[in-house]
Amino acid sequence: MEQPLVSVIIPTYNRLDSVCELLESLCRQTYRNLQIVLVNDAGESVRAVSELYPELDLTIVELEKNVRHVQARNQGLAFARGEYILLCDDDDLLLPTHVERMLAAIADADMVYSDVEIFDYVLEGMTRRATKRFVFAYEHDLEAMRRFSTFVSSGCLYRKSLHERIGLFDVDMYHYWDWDFFLRASEHGQVKRVPAASALYAFSQSGSNMSGAHEDMRPYLDRLSAKHNLGKLPTKNFFLLLEEPEMQERKAATEVLWDGEPIVSRRAARAAGDPTGEK
């Protein structure tokens, strides 16, 4: 039987080093029929990745002006040839069996998402090495997800036909596009959690991860709440929210797969003196 094509949509802006780590992780996937749609949101050139990873089916979309991450995903969808879409942020990573596991899980669903390991890091040359890491795994409870979403979009897999029912990603939900997408997908299809931490979510508390700017998020949270009738929602610090009793009760068992070692890209390996680009 022919394997279905999975289109991986990656919006990026001036993160060539981490994009190369992500592409390295995609090269290591046990499932091989992937189309990589890399949407350069008017940032520095990413053309070097074509030479670094010639074996990937790579589509580079160059945007003439910066449209921000939600619209960049929508632009990428127009180039997706696959029956399935897999989303990933340009600074996150996927462990080798991730796509294979997600495709197995989606047989009776419209969208599946995995648990993740969240990691902070230091840079060693061009490579990120984890300094702190913790498992992010919570029960799939739709009513609880209306109060605090534990859906991580990086690594989620869904049928491209889902967009025919729910439309594109909502650009008005800049900070909460993923929560909005999850709620809309749940209203119009079957969504499942896969209990394996096979995606790695980078969260540098000293960096520019926009999830940390909760002061700026209130208008978007209010907009999300009005759209889905969620009531008054808090904009507390993400890590403080995880310590609250309800979140502690929602914790779930999961399969931990990462050995904690960094994923060294060919770009980083060559910069470190390995002309073959191998570790």
Side-chain angles (χ1 to χ4, degrees), residues 133-146:
R133 49 187 281 217
F134 69 94
V135 174
F136 188 82
Y138 295 87
E139 297 292 350
H140 179 91
D141 179 330
L142 185 55
E143 190 55 39
M145 292 284 259
R146 290 173 59 83

Side-chain angles (χ1 to χ4, degrees), residues 210-231:
M210 65 183 182
S211 296
H214 54 273
E215 305 87 354
D216 303 326
M217 297 164 76
R218 180 82 256 169
Y220 297 98
L221 191 59
D222 289 343
R223 189 176 298 165
L224 177 80
S225 178
K227 183 176 180 179
H228 295 282
N229 298 311
L230 304 180

Side-chain angles (χ1 to χ4, degrees), residues 195-208:
S198 53
L200 308 180
Y201 181 88
F203 191 108
S204 176
Q205 296 193 64
S206 60
S208 60

Side-chain angles (χ1 to χ4, degrees), residues 126-138:
M126 295 179 178
T127 300
R128 294 173 295 172
R129 180 175 290 277
T131 54
K132 300 176 184 176
R133 49 187 281 217
F134 69 94
V135 174
F136 188 82
Y138 295 87

Side-chain angles (χ1 to χ4, degrees), residues 9 69-78 163 168-171:
I9 309 292
H69 64 105
V70 184
Q71 183 60 31
R73 288 183 179 87
N74 286 336
Q75 299 271 24
L77 284 171
H163 285 293
L168 298 177
F169 303 117
D170 189 344
V171 296

Side-chain angles (χ1 to χ4, degrees), residues 57-235:
D57 176 357
L58 184 61
T59 302
I60 297 177
V61 181
E62 297 279 5
L63 301 184
E64 293 184 359
K65 67 176 183 177
N66 183 265
V67 298
R68 311 303 290 270
H69 64 105
V70 184
Q71 183 60 31
R73 288 183 179 87
N74 286 336
Q75 299 271 24
L77 284 171
F79 293 85
R81 306 191 311 270
E83 176 185 349
Y84 296 95
I85 303 294
L86 188 145
L87 303 179
C88 203
D89 289 352
D90 62 356
D91 59 342
D92 296 336
L93 301 164
L94 303 176
L95 295 177
T97 60
H98 180 82
V99 178
E100 182 180 348
R101 287 168 179 264
M102 302 301 276
L103 275 169
I106 206 171
D108 60 349
D110 296 289
M111 183 170 81
V112 291
Y113 67 98
S114 73
D115 298 328
V116 303
E117 281 204 62
I118 297 179
F119 70 100
D120 202 345
Y121 58 88
V122 293
L123 277 174
E124 294 182 352
M126 295 179 178
T127 300
R128 294 173 295 172
R129 180 175 290 277
T131 54
K132 300 176 184 176
R133 49 187 281 217
F134 69 94
V135 174
F136 188 82
Y138 295 87
E139 297 292 350
H140 179 91
D141 179 330
L142 185 55
E143 190 55 39
M145 292 284 259
R146 290 173 59 83
R147 296 189 294 274
F148 183 88
S149 174
T150 55
F151 167 69
V152 176
S153 62
S154 276
C156 80
L157 180 81
Y158 63 92
R159 300 178 190 275
K160 186 167 66 174
S161 59
L162 185 61
H163 285 293
E164 297 172 7
R165 282 175 268 164
I166 69 173
L168 298 177
F169 303 117
D170 189 344
V171 296
D172 290 332
M173 295 294 158
Y174 176 72
H175 276 296
Y176 294 101
W177 72 272
D178 46 356
W179 194 351
D180 172 68
F181 178 58
F182 170 85
L183 292 173
R184 287 191 290 145
S186 298
E187 289 168 6
H188 296 277
Q190 178 67 29
V191 178
K192 286 173 50 179
R193 164 185 165 252
V194 179
S198 53
L200 308 180
Y201 181 88
F203 191 108
S204 176
Q205 296 193 64
S206 60
S208 60
N209 187 305
M210 65 183 182
S211 296
H214 54 273
E215 305 87 354
D216 303 326
M217 297 164 76
R218 180 82 256 169
Y220 297 98
L221 191 59
D222 289 343
R223 189 176 298 165
L224 177 80
S225 178
K227 183 176 180 179
H228 295 282
N229 298 311
L230 304 180
K232 189 69 173 178
L233 297 169
T235 53

